[in-house]
C-alpha cells in the first residue's frame, strides 16, 4: 500500500482531483491510500465546497485555510503549511495539478523533503513569462519526479526542453520519468456529462439549446488591465446586441471584484440592461450542461477551452496565446486576445464554419494510467 498526498487549492484542481479519487476508490483502494490537502486558495462556497458536495470528492484531510494574498506571501504560507503536514506523517508521493500557486507550493515543500512529486498537466507552455502560471509550470516540471503530460504538444515541449534526454536523479536514487497520460479533465467531462441534465440551469436562466453563448473571464492580465477588460466586455455586449443572443457569464470572484473599478460606468450600465447576464459561479454539473448546449464558448480559462472542445463547441479564446494549441490548429478555436475587432470577427467566423473535434486529449482513462505509473515507480 502506498500513501499519496494530493494538493488542491483552486477550483479547477478540486474538479480534476475528483477523477483520481474516483479511480482510487474504484480500482486501487487496496493499493493506494490518498489523503487530500486543500490549501484554501479558493474558499468561497461557489469556488470550493460546491464541488465536494456535488462531485463526491472526499473532504480534505487537511485544510490550511490560507486564502488570498500576494504571490510570495500566499505561496510562502502554503509551503510552510504543506511542509508541516509532510513532516507529520510519511507519504510515498505528493500529487500536484496544473500551474497555480498551490501547485508550486506543493512541489517545493515536497521536493525539499525528498518526497517524490507527481505533476499532472506537466509540459504545458504559453512561452509567456508574464503569466504567473507559466512561472509555476516551469518550476514544477523541473522539480517533479514524474511528469504526466496531457497532450502531444506538452510532450513535445518537454522533449524540446531536454526532459527526455537529460537523466535526472532524485535523492531516492530514482530517475525522473515522463509520460503522455492523456488529460485527466477529459475523464471528468465524460463521467459527469451523464448527470448534468439534472441541473435545470438552462431553464433557470431561460436559455434555449444552441441559443446562447457561454463566457468566462478571469485571467489576471484581462481583469487587472482596465483597457483589456473594457475591450472584452464591450465586444461581448456588441455581439449580444447585434445578434440578439444571450450571453451567460458565470463570474469569477476576481473579475467581480475588479469590474467596478476597471470598467467605465457607462459600459456597466449598458450591461445591466442587456442580454449579457453576469451570474454567480456555477457548479461543475451546471457548467457542463451550459457547455453542452451553448452555441459557442468565449473564455480565457484553460479548463473551459478544453471542455468546450470535449463538448464539440467552437471556442473564442480571450488570450494572445494558449497552452492548448491543438484546439487552435484544428480550427476549433480562435485566439482573439482582448481585441474588440478580433473578438467580433472571431465570433462571426466561428458561427459560420463547420468545425471537427478529433480525439486529442486521451481516452478518458488518464487517472488509471497515472495511478498505474505511480504504483510502478513506487515499486522500483
Ligand atoms: C487562480 C490561479 C489561476 C487559475 C485560477 C482558477 C494562481 C497564480 N492563479 O487564479 O492559474 O486559473 O485560480 O480559477 O494560482 N477570490 C475570492 N474568493 C475565492 C477565491 C478568490 O474572492 O474563493 C478573489 C480574491 O480577491 C483574490 C482573487 O480572487 O485575491 C484572486 O484569487 P487567486 O487565487 O489569487 O487567483 P485566481 O485569479 O483565482
Ligand atoms: N467552472 C465551474 N463553474 C464556473 C466556471 C468554471 O465549475 O462557474 C469549471 C470549469 O467547468 C472547469 C474549471 O472550472 O472545469 C475551470 O476553472 P477556471 O476557469 O477557474 O480555471 P483554469 O482552468 O483557467 O485554470
Amino acid at each position: 500500500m502506498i500513501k499519496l498526498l494530493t494538493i488542491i487549492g483552486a477550483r479547477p484542481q478540486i474538479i480534476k482531483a475528483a477523477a483520481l479519487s474516483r479511480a482510487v476508490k474504484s480500482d486501487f483502494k487496496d493499493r493506494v491510500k490518498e489523503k487530500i490537502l486543500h490549501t484554501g486558495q479558493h474558499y468561497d462556497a461557489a469556488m470550493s465546497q460546491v464541488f465536494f458536495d456535488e462531485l463526491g470528492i472526499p473532504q480534505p484531510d487537511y485544510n490550511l485555510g490560507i486564502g488570498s494574498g500576494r504571490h510570495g506571501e500566499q505561496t510562502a504560507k502554503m509551503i510552510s503549511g504543506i511542509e508541516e503536514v509532510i513532516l507529520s506523517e510519511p507519504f510515498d508521493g505528493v500529487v500536484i495539478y496544473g500551474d497555480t500557486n498551490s501547485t508550486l507550493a506543493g512541489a517545493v515543500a515536497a521536493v525539499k523533503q525528498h518526497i517524490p512529486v507527481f505533476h499532472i498537466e506537466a509540459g504545458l507552455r504559453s512561452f509567456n513569462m508574464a503569466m504567473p502560471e507559466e512561472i509555476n509550470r516551469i518550476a514544477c516540471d523541473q522539480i517533479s519526479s514524474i511528469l504526466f503530460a496531457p497532450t502531444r504538444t506538452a510532450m513535445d515541449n518537454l522533449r524540446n526542453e531536454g526532459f527526455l534526454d537529460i537523466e535526472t536523479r532524485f535523492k531516492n536514487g530514482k530517475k525522473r520519468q515522463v509520460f503522455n497520460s492523456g488529460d485527466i479533465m477529459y475523464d471528468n467531462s465524460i463521467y459527469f456529462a451523464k448527470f448534468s441534465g439534472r441541473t435545470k440551469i438552462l431553464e433557470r436562466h431561460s436559455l434555449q439549446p444552441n441559443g446562447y453563448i457561454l463566457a468566462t473571464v478571469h485571467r489576471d492580465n484581462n481583469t487587472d488591465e482596465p483597457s483589456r477588460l473594457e475591450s472584452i466586455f464591450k465586444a461581448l455586449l456588441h455581439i449580444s446586441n447585434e445578434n440578439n443572443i444571450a450571453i451567460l457569464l458565470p463570474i469569477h470572484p476576481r473579475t467581480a471584484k475588479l469590474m467596478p473599478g476597471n470598467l467605465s460606468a457607462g459600459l456597466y450600465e449598458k450591461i445591466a440592461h442587456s442580454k449579457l447576464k453576469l451570474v454567480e459561479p456555477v457548479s461543475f454539473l451546471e457548467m457542463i450542461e451550459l457547455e453542452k448546449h451553448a452555441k459557442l464558448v468565449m473564455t480565457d480559462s484553460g479548463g473551459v477551452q478544453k471542455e468546450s472542445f470535449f463538448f464539440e463547441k467552437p471556442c473564442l479564446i480571450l488570450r494572445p496565446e494558449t497552452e492548448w494549441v491543438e484546439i487552435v490548429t484544428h480550427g476549433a478555436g480562435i485566439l482573439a486576445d482582448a481585441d474588440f475587432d478580433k473578438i467580433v470577427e472571431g465570433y462571426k467566423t466561428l458561427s459560420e464554419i463547420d468545425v471537427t473535434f478529433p480525439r486529442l486529449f486521451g481516452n478518458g482513462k488518464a487517472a488509471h494510467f497515472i495511478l498505474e505509473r505511480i504504483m510502478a515507480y513506487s515499486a522500483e
Side-chain angles (χ1 to χ4, degrees), residues 8 69 92 114 128-129 137 143 149 174 200 217 250 258 266 280 301 315 331 360 370 380:
I8 56 176
D92 298 292
H114 308 294
N128 176 0
M129 288 295 269
R137 290 177 195 128
I143 58 184
K174 297 181 189 180
K200 309 286 172 247
V217 180
L258 287 161
E280 291 292 306
S301 157
C315 183
L360 300 171
I370 288 166
E380 266 180 21

Side-chain angles (χ1 to χ4, degrees), residues 187-207:
D187 298 21
N188 268 339
S189 293
I190 294 174
Y191 182 80
F192 288 111
K194 294 176 265 187
F195 310 113
S196 66
R198 295 177 186 164
T199 65
K200 309 286 172 247
I201 181 95
L202 266 57
E203 290 88 327
R204 204 169 334 130
H205 294 291
S206 308
L207 299 170

Side-chain angles (χ1 to χ4, degrees), residues 145 168-176 376-380:
S145 286
T168 301
R169 278 187 190 277
F170 289 81
K171 197 176 177 204
N172 62 6
K174 297 181 189 180
K175 285 187 277 183
R176 174 185 289 129
Y377 174 90
S378 303
E380 266 180 21

Side-chain angles (χ1 to χ4, degrees), residues 2 12 16 24 48-49 87 137 164 185 190 222 232 236 242 245 263 265 271 280 284 325 329 334-335 346 357 373:
I2 62 162
K16 286 166 201 166
V24 168
S48 176
Q49 189 56 43
L87 291 174
R137 290 177 195 128
L164 301 187
M185 283 194 79
I190 294 174
N222 284 335
I232 289 173
L236 295 184
E242 288 293 302
I245 186 165
L263 282 191
I271 292 172
E280 291 292 306
F284 185 57
V325 288
T329 50
I334 291 180
L335 291 169
F357 299 87
R373 295 299 164 173

Side-chain angles (χ1 to χ4, degrees), residues 6 8 11-22 25 34 36 48-60 188 192 284:
T6 294
I8 56 176
R11 166 169 67 188
Q13 296 165 331
I14 303 170
I15 296 169
K16 286 166 201 166
L20 203 78
S21 299
R22 203 168 55 245
K25 199 170 159 196
E34 184 193 28
I36 295 179
S48 176
Q49 189 56 43
V50 63
F51 304 110
F52 291 93
D53 297 341
E54 185 180 65
L55 308 182
I57 311 161
Q59 285 300 319
N188 268 339
F192 288 111
F284 185 57

